[in-house]
């Protein structure tokens, strides 16, 4: 203890002379001992010089008074035990322990140490405290089951297993549902867990170390990615299905168009013959009329579906009797029913049911459903149409004993261009849009249309529901407007303007046969040069013409004195609601979509060109 610089020189000298560097520390203590007090110190630090330089050293020290025969304190018994190496080692260990604790506290993984069979928390780093929303005071020293009384039994058994066996356990994406934030709201989190045995210096298991990694965001991101992948696959499948349906539709459309084109070509060829009997001429007329009507219906169906899908179709609601709409559809389909020798049974309520609906569209729905049943029922089949009214509204069911529909095909039955495989080869044909169109029209009325079938060969039932708000109390009858045949056939001066010579000449021929004074112009400039001298009452203008379209021509006509009161009719292949608005804005009184219906043209000339109507049209434009 004295070292090389003080031993043996210190022997026989006073303590102050031997320890001058620590005498200020020793003197007070020794004075207390000389007064009879014993002193004991552990790991007491002194800075001494014993090898020629000052150094910090530590001692366990005992100072005891020594008494003579008279019991008087005559000296001090000094016992020193140097503990410098142990203190320094312990301090290094403590520093290392503090550093290790700091590292564990900063680690992103949630870490906790639980000691003993009761699994009491001995350590929990910041990530663990944050994960469980518990402070260090709420965790350290407490049993795990007291801190988490709702802990799943599987987790409890895993802690017990690791503590009992020393096995290391790893669980991935374990789902926990609990109140993680102590805010009264339970939520789900996914954790990866590692259970590690906690051993002492002798290798004895004294607890369990738990490592927890919150992978909720990862699991959620993967779930979203899987959902996105599934959606992408679905979209790709949908696109493939749409592509297949498109190809099938184009093939069907070509087939449906070729069917009327063939008789039209034959009728046109027959008309080219030098001599035709009245019977042959009537045949040609009937063929052309029938096939053009068929092609117009195909085109109308396509346009109607497009308008419904883009929200541009508008219902023209009025009071319509249910039996009238059903009878109109039955009359339309009657030839097909007769041809296939079907038995049709119609059951309607005894009382007259009046609906607030679009009569044309409602009859169109019934016609489509009846036509569908007729087409896909083998000859001699049974078709039943039944309507009834209850508190929820009107229910119409149409049942047939036809080819039926497979369960997997039912969801696609109302999709555009959808045709069930067993129906594709049927000679009746069709574009596969009738049911899609019908469903859209029913939806516009606030109703629904569904289909049911037990499978192939078991027939099909369609159910149409209209809400109670559509049903009206019987209204007093109104006088119907006069038909085209009842109206006067006043001769009109008419100007037809169309750069398509066949279209212009055929319309002019129709009007000429009806006794009207018709002039044809094959372009806008020609029309503007002819009109001032002709002073036509009515002009049919094509829209898509070169150099000047029909809208601009109408504006030019309206700017002239002779054109201010002229009744202008747009005759065009463009038939959307937006096209109708454009026509009205340009000054047109009416808009007809090609191919125009001859009856509508003649009725327009008979009924829509009176001075009163022209005055109203001008007021509306203004």
């Amino acid at each position: 203890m004295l070292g090389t610089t003080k031993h043996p020189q210190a022997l026989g000298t006073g303590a102050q002379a031997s320890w001058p560097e620590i005498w200020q520390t020793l003197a007070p203590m020794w004075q207390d001992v000389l007064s009879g007090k014993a002193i004991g110190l552990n790991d007491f630090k002194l800075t001494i010089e014993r090898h020629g330089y000052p150094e910090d050293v530590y001692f366990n020290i005992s100072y005891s008074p020594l008494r003579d025969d008279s019991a008087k304190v005559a000296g001090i018994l000094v016992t020193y035990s140097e503990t410098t190496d142990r203190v320094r080692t312990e301090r290094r260990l403590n520093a290392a322990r503090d550093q290790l604790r700091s590292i564990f506290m900063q680690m992103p993984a949630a870490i906790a140490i639980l000691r003993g069979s009761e699994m009491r928390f001995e350590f929990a780093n910041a990530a663990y405290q944050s994960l469980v929303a518990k402070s260090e005071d709420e965790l350290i020293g407490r049993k795990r089951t007291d801190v988490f009384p709702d802990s799943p039994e599987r987790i409890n058994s895993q802690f017990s297993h690791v503590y009992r066996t020393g096995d290391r356990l790893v669980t991935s994406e374990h789902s926990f549902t609990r109140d993680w934030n102590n805010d009264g709201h339970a939520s789900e989190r996914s954790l990866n867990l590692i259970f590690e045995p906690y051993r002492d210096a002798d290798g004895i298991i004294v607890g369990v170390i738990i490592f927890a990694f919150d992978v909720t965001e990862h699991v959620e991101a993967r779930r979203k990615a899987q959902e996105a992948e599934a959606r992408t696959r679905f979209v790709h499948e949908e696109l493939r299905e749409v592509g297949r349906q498109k190809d099938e539709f184009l093939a069907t459309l070509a087939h449906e168009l070729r069917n009327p084109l063939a008789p039209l070509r034959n009728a046109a060829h027959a008309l080219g013959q030098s001599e035709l009997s009245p019977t042959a001429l009537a045949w040609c007329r009937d063929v052309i009329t029938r096939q053009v009507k068929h092609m117009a219906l195909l085109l109308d169906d396509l346009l109607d579906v497009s308008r419904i899908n883009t929200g541009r179709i508008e219902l023209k609601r009025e009071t319509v009797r249910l039996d009238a709409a059903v009878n109109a559809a039955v009359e339309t389909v009657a030839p097909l029913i007769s041809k296939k020798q079907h038995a049709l049974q119609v059951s309607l309520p005894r009382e007259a049911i009046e609906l607030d609906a679009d009569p044309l569209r409602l009859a169109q729905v019934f016609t489509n459903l009846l036509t569908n049943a007729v087409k896909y029922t083998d000859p001699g089949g049974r078709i039943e149409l039944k309507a009834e009214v209850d508190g929820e509204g009107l229910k119409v069911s149409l049942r047939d004993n036809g080819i039926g529909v497979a369960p997997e095909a039912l969801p696609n039955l109302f999709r555009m261009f959808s045709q069930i495989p067993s129906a594709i080869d049927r000679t009746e044909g069709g574009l596969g849009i009738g049911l899609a169109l019908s469903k859209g029209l029913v939806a516009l009325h606030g109703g629904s249309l569904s289909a049911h079938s037990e499978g192939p060969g078991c027939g099909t039932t369609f159910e149409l529901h209209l809400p109670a708000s559509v049903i009206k109390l019987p209204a007093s009858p109104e006088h119907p407007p006069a038909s085209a045949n009842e109206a006067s056939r006043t001769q009109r001066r008419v100007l037809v303007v169309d750069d398509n010579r066949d279209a212009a000449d055929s319309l002019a021929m129709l009007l000429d046969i009806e006794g009207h004074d018709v002039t044809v112009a094959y372009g806008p400039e020609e029309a503007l040069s002819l009109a001032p001298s002709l002073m036509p009452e009515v002009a049919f203008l094509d829209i898509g013409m070169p150099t000047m379209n029909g809208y601009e021509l109408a504006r030019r006509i309206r700017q002239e004195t002779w054109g201010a009161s002229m009744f202008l009719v747009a005759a065009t292949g463009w038939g959307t609601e937006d096209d109708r608005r454009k026509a009205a804005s340009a000054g047109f009184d009416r808009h007809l979509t090609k191919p125009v219906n001859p009856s509508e043209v003649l009725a327009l000339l008979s009924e829509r060109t009176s001075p009163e109507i022209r005055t109203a049209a001008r007021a509306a434009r203004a």
Side-chain angles (χ1 to χ4, degrees):
M1 173 189 169
L2 288 169
T4 57
T5 60
K6 294 184 178 180
H7 181 74
Q9 293 91 332
L11 295 178
T13 63
Q16 182 177 1
S18 300
W19 299 109
E21 68 271 25
I22 58 174
W23 182 247
Q24 287 184 344
T25 301
L26 297 180
M29 292 190 292
W30 285 17
Q31 190 62 42
D32 289 340
V33 176
L34 291 174
S35 64
K37 180 181 179 181
I39 295 177
L41 301 170
N42 291 323
D43 298 329
F44 189 72
K45 179 182 177 182
L46 295 172
T47 303
I48 63 175
E49 294 184 9
R50 53 181 176 176
H51 299 294
Y53 55 87
E55 56 179 316
D56 293 336
V57 292
Y58 298 87
F59 300 95
N60 288 342
I61 301 174
S62 175
Y63 295 134
S64 303
L66 290 177
R67 298 177 184 276
D68 58 14
D69 293 340
S70 63
K72 181 182 177 181
V73 177
I76 300 174
L77 174 62
V78 179
T79 305
Y80 280 73
S81 174
E82 188 170 353
T83 60
T84 302
D85 290 342
R86 179 178 59 78
V87 169
R88 288 176 178 173
T89 300
E90 286 181 356
R91 292 195 174 184
R92 283 196 298 270
L93 288 175
N94 288 336
R97 187 180 296 110
D98 290 343
Q99 184 179 22
L100 186 61
R101 174 184 171 82
S102 176
I103 292 173
F104 272 84
M105 288 296 290
Q106 297 177 56
M107 288 185 69
I111 304 172
I113 299 176
L114 299 98
R115 179 180 287 273
S117 59
E118 291 184 333
M119 293 290 124
R120 292 183 181 274
F121 280 94
E122 185 176 275
F123 171 81
N125 71 348
Y128 189 91
Q129 295 173 39
S130 175
L131 176 66
V132 300
K134 303 282 186 184
S135 67
E136 195 169 22
D137 291 340
E138 294 175 291
L139 293 171
I140 304 305
R142 298 187 61 193
K143 293 193 295 184
R144 190 184 64 84
T145 52
D146 290 342
V147 177
F148 304 114
D150 58 347
S151 179
E153 183 57 36
R154 183 158 69 106
I155 296 297
N156 296 337
S157 64
Q158 287 172 329
F159 272 101
S160 298
H161 176 81
V162 174
Y163 180 74
R164 187 179 65 256
T165 66
D167 294 337
R168 182 174 187 260
L169 289 181
V170 177
T171 63
S172 298
E173 299 178 9
H174 189 99
S175 295
F176 292 88
T177 300
R178 58 178 299 270
D179 182 6
W180 295 94
N181 300 317
N182 293 329
D183 58 2
H185 299 286
S187 60
E188 182 178 299
R189 286 188 182 178
S190 296
L191 304 178
N192 288 349
L193 301 176
I194 300 176
F195 299 85
E196 194 77 42
Y198 177 33
R199 302 176 186 272
D200 63 10
D202 297 324
I204 297 173
I205 298 174
V206 294
V208 175
I209 305 175
I210 179 75
F211 298 84
F213 304 86
D214 190 344
V215 293
T216 305
E217 292 184 1
H218 168 75
V219 172
E220 183 66 16
R222 187 181 62 201
R223 183 188 64 78
K224 290 181 179 179
Q226 291 172 343
E227 289 178 353
E229 183 181 357
R231 286 195 298 269
T232 301
R233 285 199 304 270
F234 176 77
V235 170
H236 287 167
E237 291 171 1
E238 286 287 290
L239 290 175
R240 282 196 295 269
E241 177 63 16
V242 168
R244 184 193 65 78
Q245 290 181 357
K246 178 204 68 176
D247 295 340
E248 195 170 278
F249 163 71
L250 291 176
T252 305
L253 178 61
H255 175 268
E256 291 298 308
L257 291 177
R258 287 193 184 101
N259 281 342
L261 285 177
L264 284 173
R265 177 180 292 174
N266 294 336
H269 179 76
L271 288 173
Q273 303 303 310
S274 57
E275 295 183 5
L276 282 179
S277 66
T279 302
L281 188 60
W283 175 85
C284 291
R285 182 181 64 248
D286 291 344
V287 167
I288 293 173
T289 301
R290 186 166 56 252
Q291 298 305 326
V292 168
K293 181 180 179 181
H294 176 67
M295 294 180 71
L297 287 175
L298 291 176
L299 183 59
D300 285 344
D301 278 353
L302 283 172
L303 291 176
D304 282 345
V305 170
S306 175
R307 293 185 188 114
I308 289 176
N309 289 340
T310 55
R312 291 184 294 179
I313 197 168
E314 295 180 2
L315 297 180
K316 298 178 181 178
R317 291 179 180 266
E318 59 183 73
T319 300
V320 55
R321 286 180 48 148
L322 173 64
D323 56 354
V326 172
N327 290 337
V330 171
E331 288 178 8
T332 302
V333 186
L336 284 175
I337 295 175
S338 177
K339 178 182 177 182
K340 298 195 70 172
Q341 299 179 331
H342 290 324
L344 173 63
Q345 178 181 348
V346 177
S347 177
L348 301 177
R350 290 185 178 182
E351 66 276 12
I353 303 300
E354 292 187 335
L355 306 172
D356 177 27
D358 186 324
L360 178 63
R361 297 304 188 182
L362 195 59
Q364 187 178 7
V365 170
F366 290 140
T367 300
N368 283 345
L369 295 178
L370 280 170
T371 302
N372 189 78
V374 170
K375 283 182 177 181
Y376 302 124
T377 300
D378 292 329
R382 297 189 314 277
I383 301 173
E384 301 174 6
L385 188 151
K386 180 180 180 181
E388 55 186 350
V389 175
D390 55 25
E392 296 182 357
L394 172 67
K395 174 184 176 182
V396 180
S397 61
L398 182 65
R399 184 191 307 272
D400 63 56
N401 63 342
I403 63 175
V405 183
E408 63 273 12
L410 277 173
N412 298 323
L413 205 57
F414 294 99
R415 293 178 60 178
M416 278 284 289
F417 316 133
S418 175
Q419 292 186 349
I420 57 178
S422 56
I424 292 176
D425 297 331
R426 299 199 157 235
T427 57
E428 292 86 352
L431 297 178
I433 61 177
L435 292 180
L437 174 60
S438 298
K439 190 176 183 70
L441 292 175
V442 172
L444 287 176
H445 284 84
S448 62
L449 181 62
S450 59
H452 310 277
S453 178
E454 296 298 323
C458 298
T460 307
T461 299
F462 287 89
E463 290 189 355
L464 183 153
H465 292 267
L466 291 178
S469 58
V470 174
I471 301 175
K472 297 184 63 176
L473 295 175
S476 58
E478 298 179 355
H479 296 290
S483 66
N485 293 331
E486 295 171 339
S488 62
R489 292 181 175 272
T490 304
Q491 185 185 51
R492 307 294 182 191
R493 291 188 306 278
V494 182
L495 176 63
V496 176
V497 185
D498 199 324
D499 62 318
N500 185 319
R501 289 179 175 268
D502 288 341
D505 293 343
S506 61
L507 179 57
M509 181 181 294
L510 170 68
L511 299 177
D512 184 67
I513 291 173
E514 293 295 321
H516 298 290
D517 182 8
V518 187
T519 301
V520 177
Y522 299 115
E525 293 80 3
E526 185 181 356
L528 290 173
S529 65
L530 292 174
S533 59
L534 293 173
M535 295 294 290
E537 299 171 81
V538 183
F540 291 87
L541 310 183
D542 182 36
I543 297 299
M545 295 184 290
T547 68
M548 184 189 306
N549 62 39
Y551 300 134
E552 180 60 28
L553 177 57
R555 294 188 184 96
R556 294 278 295 274
I557 290 175
R558 291 298 183 206
Q559 291 172 359
E560 304 294 338
T561 304
W562 48 263
S565 61
M566 190 184 304
F567 197 88
L568 297 183
V569 182
T572 173
W574 305 102
T576 67
E577 291 301 319
D578 187 50
D579 296 322
R580 296 178 188 276
R581 284 191 292 269
K582 286 181 180 178
S585 176
F588 283 100
D589 298 296
R590 286 290 299 277
H591 181 284
L592 299 181
T593 305
K594 293 181 179 180
V596 295
N597 188 324
S599 299
E600 189 175 0
V601 171
L602 298 177
L604 183 149
L605 290 175
S606 300
E607 302 170 5
R608 302 295 187 181
T609 58
S610 68
E612 294 82 3
I613 296 297
R614 288 201 301 273
T615 301
R618 287 197 298 273
R621 289 196 302 273

